[in-house]
Amino acid sequence: MDLVIKDARVVDGTGAPAYRADVGVTGGRVTEIVREGGPRPAARRVLDADGLVLSPGFIDMHAHSDLALLRDPDHSAKAAQGVTLEVIGQDGLSYAPVDDRTRAEVRRQITGWNGDGSDLDLDWSGVGEYLDRLDHGFGGEGIAVNAAYLVPQGTVRMLAVGWDDRPATPAELDHMRRLVAEGLEQGAVGLSSGLTYTPGMYASDAELTELCRVVAEYGGYYCPHHRSYGAGALGAYEEMVALCREAGCALHLAHATMNFGVNKGRAPELLALLDDALAAGADITLDTYPYLPGCTTLVAMLPSWASEGGPDAILRRLRDDATAERIRHTMEVEGADGCHGVPIEWDTIEISGVTDPALAGHVGRTVAQAAADRGETPFATARALLLQDRLGPTILQHVGHEENVRAIMRHPVHTGGSDGILQGAKPHPRAYGTFPRYLGTYVREEGVLPLEECVAHLTSRPAARLRLPDRGVIRSGYRADLVLFDPETVAAGSTFEAPRTLPTGIPHVLVDGRFVIEDGRRTDVLAGRSVRRTPLR
């Protein structure tokens, strides 16, 4: 064999109790598992695990590494956490399928998530071409970790309908169906939406249901960032459950949180809703990150009517004093749909990144603090930042509740997703810390989940949602995407003050049987590839 990992404490991803074993790897797959007391297998290399936990590689069910995977061959933000597969194309906005017009529009729309892409040649159009580009990244070697892709519904609507807040015509709906089908045929695992982001939010439930019928035909799943995580959160969850049941489509709820003051302590209501739907036969999973603040772009806080027409139209409205005042009133008094129907609290909005270096002094400060320094109202500061940075600022939104986070992560259909945005001078620490934080804080220190159960949440359950027949479990014949970690020391190094700090207690990570992290250091191995939808049999 190529490698034997000797004397490991195997937590195999199924939720079953850990056991001691030697695990052999050949040709990128697990080829032998010999439990304690059996004959020692031989290999060209033997790694003494010395009682470290050996688990399947972690699957990040909600990642924003769409361009980072092509920009940064190191990608230690995820590799060092033990992540061996990321699901990208999230929140209804990504870079395929596109044409020349929408390629430029989507780059501007999500600059805050991925940078503007000017450092890369975004020369693909279709989903398959983008996945091929991942496969042949960095001179054909590949990428740091594996990646699966969701067709982004907002980008699809941008292509077929544009930026108008109106129903799609029958011809436009047919065009969107075709685009979704083509993306799934080319390897996407499902469809994502960002229903508080334009232009995807302009889609009606009927339109979304028709697209989900296409997803169901291909055995994919629908992953919505739904219409509200605030004032209308429970209704928004109900809407997504009903929509997917009508379409006969599997549902995966993205970053399934209950945020803002109106939802404090209300996670049991969400879980009861999901339990009722599951008991009735619905196919539902969800992901969360183990932190309280959220992270998005500042422009996403605007009311949807202010974003109709795309980035240039937004900037024109912000420059006009009368329209800007109307935007302010909607945000501060009525509660904009971009802020989930809750009147915005500027002291909860922290600037985490800007694209213009001249504005870097605002990073790490709330909008309220920056406004006080400037001697103006918070909205005036937010408006100025949006105009000067051309919609580029990213934010942390401090609106979460610990009791909700804990209740949701215990649910049996829960999986882990970082929602990690890697841009900005002060990104959310979840981008670098989600998976070791689950293992260190919520398993070892707080006892919220047993170790074996938590590993199942991070491995086999997401693999089952993605319909991957040979990942997520340590089993003979399965892919050797593996993590070795010390359960006594594993911890997130990233903090809100130092968000790019790497974790501790994860000395080895293998992708396809090759070490991408060895003795705690990133190797030069690029073993990641696109992981494409498994066709229905």
Side-chain angles (χ1 to χ4, degrees):
M1 289 181 286
D2 298 333
L3 170 71
V4 165
I5 301 170
K6 185 181 73 171
D7 194 29
R9 179 183 169 192
V10 177
V11 177
D12 66 7
T14 66
Y19 59 89
R20 292 271 182 164
D22 297 346
V23 175
V25 173
T26 303
R29 293 185 180 270
V30 174
T31 49
E32 192 167 357
I33 301 172
V34 179
R35 296 209 179 208
E36 189 174 28
R40 294 279 190 189
R44 282 184 286 277
R45 177 179 177 184
V46 176
L47 175 66
D48 189 348
D50 193 25
L52 294 174
V53 167
L54 177 67
S55 84
F58 305 137
I59 298 176
D60 188 342
M61 285 295 287
H62 193 103
H64 288 284
S65 303
D66 306 48
L67 297 186
L69 283 163
L70 295 171
R71 177 182 290 126
D72 177 17
D74 182 81
H75 202 49
S76 286
K78 295 302 178 67
Q81 292 187 62
V83 171
T84 58
L85 171 60
E86 299 183 271
V87 185
I88 55 179
Q90 298 285 352
D91 295 330
L93 291 165
S94 191
Y95 304 92
V98 292
D99 58 15
D100 288 342
R101 171 182 64 85
T102 57
R103 182 183 295 108
E105 290 173 347
V106 77
R107 281 172 59 176
R108 292 185 62 190
Q109 172 85 340
I110 52 175
T111 290
W113 293 356
N114 297 298
D116 67 6
S118 59
D119 55 331
L120 296 168
D121 185 5
L122 310 188
D123 57 354
W124 60 82
S125 295
V127 169
E129 292 172 316
Y130 172 63
L131 297 179
D132 289 344
R133 181 69 174 274
L134 295 175
D135 287 341
H136 299 99
F138 303 105
E141 290 189 63
I143 50 179
V145 301
N146 298 309
Y149 189 72
L150 295 164
V151 179
Q153 171 259 332
T155 304
V156 165
R157 199 171 210 270
M158 204 184 297
L159 261 173
V161 181
W163 290 84
D164 297 339
D165 183 2
R166 62 169 177 82
T169 67
E172 289 166 343
L173 183 55
D174 283 343
H175 188 190
M176 287 189 282
R177 287 193 193 99
R178 289 195 302 273
L179 289 169
V180 172
E182 288 168 4
L184 291 161
E185 288 169 358
Q186 292 166 14
V189 295
L191 176 75
S192 76
S193 282
L195 300 178
T196 63
Y197 301 128
T198 56
M201 70 189 308
Y202 300 141
S204 67
D205 284 2
E207 179 179 312
L208 295 170
T209 299
E210 288 305 306
L211 299 184
C212 284
R213 292 188 199 279
V214 177
V215 176
E217 290 174 9
Y218 285 88
Y221 68 93
Y222 181 44
C223 180
H225 165 128
H226 53 267
R227 298 192 193 274
S228 177
Y229 290 83
L234 278 177
Y237 282 114
E238 290 173 352
E239 175 190 15
M240 294 298 101
V241 170
L243 187 156
C244 282
R245 295 192 69 184
E246 172 69 19
C249 183
L251 173 64
H252 181 83
L253 296 165
H255 37 59
T257 56
M258 294 287 287
N259 287 337
F260 302 91
V262 294
N263 289 315
K264 184 175 175 61
R266 298 187 68 189
E269 296 175 59
L270 167 61
L271 300 179
L273 165 68
L274 300 182
D275 286 338
D276 288 347
L278 290 162
D283 183 358
I284 302 173
T285 51
L286 58 86
D287 66 67
T288 70
Y289 47 83
Y291 294 87
L292 300 188
C295 179
T296 186
T297 56
L298 182 59
V299 68
M301 298 290 100
L302 300 182
S304 58
W305 59 260
S307 297
E308 186 178 3
D312 288 333
I314 298 170
L315 291 168
R316 284 195 300 272
R317 292 186 182 105
L318 287 168
R319 291 189 191 102
D320 180 77
D321 289 342
T323 307
E325 171 56 24
R326 184 182 166 206
I327 292 171
R328 183 205 65 78
H329 185 271
T330 303
M331 295 177 72
E332 294 185 348
V333 179
E334 299 174 7
D337 47 6
C339 194
H340 309 277
V342 176
I344 197 162
E345 297 175 337
W346 294 110
D347 60 351
T348 69
I349 306 297
E350 179 184 352
I351 303 299
S352 61
V354 292
T355 60
D356 183 349
L359 301 172
H362 295 297
V363 173
R365 302 181 65 73
T366 68
V367 172
Q369 289 170 333
D373 290 345
R374 292 162 62 106
E376 60 189 13
T377 67
F379 179 78
T381 296
R383 178 189 180 192
L385 286 171
L386 288 168
L387 287 170
Q388 292 172 39
D389 207 31
R390 296 189 61 78
L391 312 182
T394 51
I395 61 169
L396 303 182
Q397 194 169 18
H398 295 268
V399 292
H401 305 287
E402 181 68 22
E403 65 270 37
N404 287 347
V405 169
R406 292 177 180 235
I408 293 169
M409 76 169 64
R410 289 189 182 103
H411 197 275
V413 302
H414 168 265
T415 66
S418 71
D419 197 10
I421 293 173
L422 300 169
Q423 287 295 117
K426 193 171 181 275
H428 196 304
R430 68 193 184 192
Y432 284 73
T434 286
F435 295 86
R437 181 169 167 83
Y438 270 119
L439 297 168
T441 300
Y442 288 98
V443 172
R444 182 181 65 247
E445 296 175 6
E446 303 293 337
V448 175
L449 288 168
L451 176 62
E452 290 87 349
E453 177 71 7
C454 184
V455 168
H457 285 222
L458 308 181
T459 59
S460 65
R461 291 183 189 171
R465 166 51 72 219
L466 295 168
R467 296 182 57 245
L468 301 177
D470 58 357
R471 298 178 196 265
V473 176
I474 296 178
R475 185 172 294 163
S476 184
Y478 275 50
R479 296 273 186 177
D481 293 346
L482 302 168
V483 182
L484 276 160
F485 64 89
D486 183 347
E488 300 304 318
T489 63
V490 62
S494 59
T495 64
F496 287 99
E497 292 71 32
R500 297 185 188 277
T501 307
L502 296 179
T504 57
I506 306 178
H508 303 290
V509 181
L510 293 85
V511 173
D512 203 34
R514 301 167 66 192
F515 285 91
V516 297
I517 300 290
E518 188 171 12
D519 294 323
R521 296 180 177 85
R522 178 72 171 95
T523 70
D524 61 359
V525 167
L526 293 166
R529 300 292 186 272
S530 67
V531 174
R532 308 196 187 203
R533 181 187 60 85
T534 303
L536 288 174
R537 299 186 187 281

